[in-house]
Amino acid sequence: MCGIVGAVAQRNITPILIEGLRRLEYRGYDSAGVAVLADGNGIKRVRAVGKVIELENALANSPANGHLGIAHTRWATHGKPAEHNAHPHISGKLVVVHNGIIENHAPLRKRLIDLGYQFTSETDTEVVAHLIAHYFQQNHDLLEAFRTALGELHGAYALALIHEDQPQTLYCARMGSPLVIGEGSEEHYIASDPLALLQVTDRFRYLEEGDHARLSMTRCEIWDSRNNPVDRPVKRYEHAAHSLEKGEYRHYMLKEIFEQPQAISDTLSGTLGDDHVLTAVLGPEAETRLADIANIHIVACGTSYHAGLVARYWIEEQAGIPCCVEVASEYRYRTVVVPANTLLITISQSGETADTLAALRFAKDQGYLATLAICNVAGSSLVREADWRLLTHAGPEIGVASTKAFTTQLVALLWLTTALAQVRNRDSAVIQRNVQALKTLPQVIQQSLELAPRITSLAERFANKHHALFLGRGTHYPIAMEGALKLKEISYIHAEAYAAGELKHGPLALVDEDMPVVSVAPSDSLLEKLKSNLEEVRARGGQLITFACETIEQGEPDANHEVITLPWVEDCISPIVYTIPLQLLSYHVALVKGTDVDKPRNLAKSVTVE
Ligand code: F6R
């Protein structure tokens, strides 16, 4: 998704803007640009299609230095990836960058063309630049012109604006897309994500929906959607800048896979007693209302949705609460029946996913008991707008393919299930078992990471494959879904997951020697049934790869059946443990295929438009 960086400072801000764009690369983009108020020379704009390095090369040929500027990475929505569509966009002396989508751009464009404005791009953003310029021409007050234009925009945006005649002022606004203000010493910055600015500050103000701001080196003025002045407190960013570096690892994804023991331990920190969970973690209001929850709806996208699917098995079995799980893009547009005392849970790594956020907002009017956000980013929109929150502490996740965010979501959901079981006085043996299993989890995950060398050689088997099937049952069915999603997104191999019992209802027809079938087969109550399903695959010459428990008799080795064993673990944490080899498998297959592991084609890390 698009990324914004802006600065007004005593020093030359161009290197800071470029470094900020580099740090936003993980979000996905196809072009980049910068506009700087060059000392004594008016606005200088440089844009390039491709990576930030292309923009740097363009700047090397045509340097731009100054104390006020805005920069952008663009992910094409309106208009193809091309230099003339790259941001910033200019109208006269005024320059704009934008993240999000202006839904009413077409009528606004028509109106502005009728007024004589000439467009040089197909973007919705250029409409914003001309609209502000139009009002500024009328009233000569840039803040008022900005406000009037904002009032006419429908859709989602984070916007930044500078004007050639105001060399010390940076304007910005947010509605539906994230934007933070970074506080320096006699300097101010803005960015779509604090990560972009950690090289210059760790102190941030998080704009609320509808806020707009005017920044100079020394002043930060913020107004809400009704133009009332507001104070958004400065918060210190908790993750050290070095957590953003790859260190000894070849890719962020690999680093993040190996960070999982620590991420899980950080997520559990302070949440477990001797034999019970500490429900106070949820905050006083949530804690007192936990016992009232009679139903649960879970809404999320992608990998986070898969975490929700696992949780449904846990919540219904262990807490005895009916639970439905749905992708946010469907949920937000349908009629939802909400039984009395239903809790809505949204799950998101970023807390900025447009569909999940819209689902939360939609849910506010549907009569839920409360809304709970399970999220990895404390200052995100989702966390700020939900009634209750449960944070995962995976640390920044840079690789587009979600890994440590997923396993920490599962940890948070198992913790929540245990909390619900506890307040409902369910079987205390189950609660104690969950607590003990969670405590051992970081160490167990560490052991499963030792499978990496074995999986490296296994990955070669996928070198010439175009399709793969993933099978699982019970809580491991969503894990098979997650395994298939990981494989397809980073290796571009078409992969599908099925509940193993569905095999003979259709997908078995696909099985032959060209179809690797990956199965997740821990030692649980469904193992014997799963084994029968796998026999159906073997009988048809399928290439089976099974992740199984070391305590189970595996039979004679077979060229068509590779078995990788994992240590025995309690059922409740097994889906989390079996995720690890599937992540490693997709990573190593992507290496064999030579794809861009951390930034797979067509994908963005943070999907802030629907
Ligand atoms: C897949 C992946 C995506 C995200 C999805 C939701 O590896 O990362 O499917 O899970 O875009 O993102 P969040 O969790 O930030 O809401």
Side-chain angles (χ1 to χ4, degrees):
M1 294 293 106
C2 306
I4 289 177
V5 191
V8 50
Q10 308 273 6
R11 49 180 155 167
N12 174 25
I13 45 85
T14 308
I16 297 168
L17 297 180
I18 296 298
E19 175 59 20
L21 292 187
R22 235 186 265 123
R23 289 166 181 251
L24 291 177
E25 282 189 302
Y26 75 94
R27 295 161 73 95
Y29 67 104
D30 46 55
S31 51
V34 59
V36 174
L37 191 54
D39 301 332
N41 285 322
I43 296 280
K44 174 102 189 251
R45 174 176 66 171
V46 180
R47 298 178 291 175
V49 174
K51 301 280 181 195
V52 171
I53 185 77
E54 313 293 342
L55 178 64
E56 288 181 78
N57 293 340
L59 277 167
N61 292 331
S62 174
N65 297 315
H67 303 282
L68 174 70
I70 50 181
H72 190 264
T73 47
R74 172 172 188 255
W75 200 72
T77 54
H78 298 80
K80 62 182 186 214
E83 189 176 325
H84 71 277
N85 283 329
H87 301 209
H89 288 285
I90 293 183
S91 182
K93 294 181 173 182
L94 175 157
V95 192
V96 165
V97 291
H98 163 227
N99 176 8
I101 287 179
I102 305 300
E103 286 174 344
N104 57 335
H105 71 99
L108 288 174
R109 175 182 277 256
K110 186 173 176 315
R111 204 176 101 203
L112 289 159
I113 289 173
D114 291 346
L115 286 166
Y117 287 91
Q118 286 181 356
F119 281 77
T120 58
S121 78
E122 293 100 54
T123 64
D124 49 348
T125 306
E126 197 180 354
V127 167
V128 182
H130 292 317
L131 193 62
I132 301 168
H134 168 63
Y135 288 119
F136 185 50
Q137 208 182 27
Q138 289 183 349
N139 61 17
H140 306 289
D141 179 334
L142 193 50
L143 180 62
E144 274 313 311
F146 190 37
R147 285 175 175 166
T148 313
L150 292 178
E152 291 190 18
L153 303 180
H154 300 166
Y157 54 78
L159 279 166
L161 161 72
I162 58 175
H163 192 286
E164 199 170 304
D165 295 340
Q166 301 193 12
Q168 305 224 337
T169 315
L170 172 60
Y171 296 83
C172 62
R174 81 156 274 178
M175 175 67 84
S177 291
L179 199 67
V180 297
I181 298 173
E183 292 279 329
S185 162
E186 304 224 332
E187 49 191 23
H188 279 108
Y189 301 96
I190 56 167
S192 315
D193 186 325
L195 297 183
L197 298 176
L198 289 183
Q199 79 276 25
V200 282
T201 185
D202 64 353
R203 296 183 303 127
F204 296 97
R205 296 178 195 270
Y206 292 84
L207 290 183
E208 303 266 332
E209 288 295 43
D211 282 358
H212 59 284
R214 180 168 60 185
L215 309 171
S216 67
M217 290 179 200
T218 51
R219 292 189 70 182
C220 169
E221 301 163 280
I222 306 176
W223 298 270
D224 66 13
S225 55
R226 295 187 172 157
N227 300 337
N228 298 315
V230 283
D231 183 27
R232 303 293 177 218
V234 175
K235 294 186 179 159
R236 208 165 269 280
Y237 191 76
E238 62 191 69
H239 303 293
H242 66 74
S243 65
L244 303 177
E245 284 152 20
K246 270 195 287 224
E248 73 207 61
Y249 293 95
R250 188 164 161 193
H251 293 102
Y252 280 109
M253 182 181 178
L254 190 63
K255 175 177 180 242
E256 287 157 7
I257 289 174
F258 277 84
E259 280 174 346
Q260 289 176 108
Q262 188 61 48
I264 289 171
S265 154
D266 290 347
T267 298
L268 287 172
S269 171
T271 67
L272 301 174
D274 286 348
D275 55 4
H276 62 288
V277 298
L278 306 175
T279 48
V281 167
L282 286 167
E285 196 213 314
E287 193 183 18
T288 51
R289 307 241 30 210
L290 271 189
D292 300 336
I293 296 166
N295 273 283
I296 292 180
H297 289 173
I298 300 180
V299 178
C301 300
T303 289
S304 299
Y305 165 68
H306 294 156
L309 289 176
V310 176
R312 180 178 59 178
Y313 289 89
W314 286 334
I315 290 169
E316 296 212 339
E317 183 190 322
Q318 298 183 14
I321 300 174
C323 178
C324 304
V325 189
E326 193 167 359
V327 287
S329 53
E330 286 299 314
Y331 169 87
R332 63 181 284 197
Y333 288 120
R334 70 178 185 87
T335 305
V336 180
V337 177
V338 181
N341 290 328
T342 301
L343 174 71
L344 178 94
I345 303 179
T346 52
I347 308 170
S348 173
Q349 187 287 126
S350 60
E352 302 294 349
T353 300
D355 281 322
T356 310
L357 202 49
L360 173 67
R361 289 172 185 160
F362 166 78
K364 296 257 170 189
D365 301 324
Q366 304 298 319
Y368 283 97
L369 171 83
T371 56
L372 166 69
I374 295 182
C375 188
N376 194 39
V377 181
S380 65
S381 306
L382 203 72
V383 168
R384 283 183 284 120
E385 293 186 26
D387 301 322
W388 309 341
R389 52 208 55 93
L390 180 55
L391 291 178
T392 53
H393 295 283
E397 193 180 62
I398 309 288
V400 164
S402 186
T403 52
K404 60 177 181 170
F406 178 63
T407 47
T408 51
Q409 285 166 351
L410 289 175
V411 164
L413 287 159
L414 183 57
W415 181 91
L416 182 67
T417 304
T418 316
L420 291 165
Q422 193 170 293
V423 296
R424 292 163 75 93
N425 297 320
R426 303 277 293 185
D427 187 349
S428 61
V430 170
I431 294 162
Q432 287 171 19
R433 188 203 61 197
N434 284 5
V435 171
Q436 296 318 322
L438 281 170
K439 285 181 178 172
T440 64
L441 190 56
Q443 201 192 339
V444 179
I445 297 287
Q446 193 65 51
Q447 286 168 10
S448 29
L449 287 168
E450 286 161 19
L451 287 171
R454 178 84 201 278
I455 291 172
T456 311
S457 55
L458 189 66
E460 297 290 341
R461 286 180 170 229
F462 289 78
N464 301 314
K465 302 292 187 223
H466 300 289
H467 307 276
L469 271 183
F470 283 68
L471 301 177
R473 296 190 79 126
T475 47
H476 298 87
Y477 168 38
I479 298 305
M481 294 169 80
E482 174 60 10
L485 177 65
K486 278 301 82 101
L487 187 71
K488 76 181 110 181
E489 73 179 315
I490 62 166
S491 74
Y492 315 150
I493 292 176
H494 170 227
E496 293 298 333
Y498 277 91
E502 280 291 289
L503 202 54
K504 49 173 134 11
H505 298 288
L508 197 54
L510 294 170
V511 172
D512 62 14
E513 58 283 2
D514 281 333
M515 175 70 89
V517 179
V518 180
S519 68
V520 191
S523 159
D524 63 12
S525 58
L526 295 169
L527 181 63
E528 288 312 315
K529 296 201 179 301
L530 181 64
K531 278 182 166 175
S532 318
N533 302 136
L534 300 187
E535 281 312 316
E536 291 159 8
V537 173
R538 281 176 82 158
R540 281 147 191 95
Q543 301 284 309
L544 263 180
I545 294 155
T546 305
F547 293 96
C549 175
E550 64 190 5
T551 60
I552 303 298
E553 181 56 52
Q554 303 301 336
E556 286 304 305
D558 172 342
N560 287 339
H561 190 187
E562 184 107 26
V563 181
I564 293 103
T565 55
L566 283 86
W568 177 88
V569 292
E570 289 284 0
D571 280 2
C572 60
I573 55 168
S574 170
I576 310 174
V577 177
Y578 277 75
T579 298
I580 307 297
L582 298 183
Q583 295 172 342
L584 288 167
L585 179 66
S586 60
Y587 174 76
H588 286 287
V589 173
L591 286 192
V592 171
K593 290 271 180 185
T595 54
D596 188 348
V597 173
D598 285 333
K599 292 182 220 120
R601 67 184 182 201
N602 307 338
L603 297 181
K605 179 67 184 166
S606 188
V607 185
T608 52
V609 292
E610 76 172 297

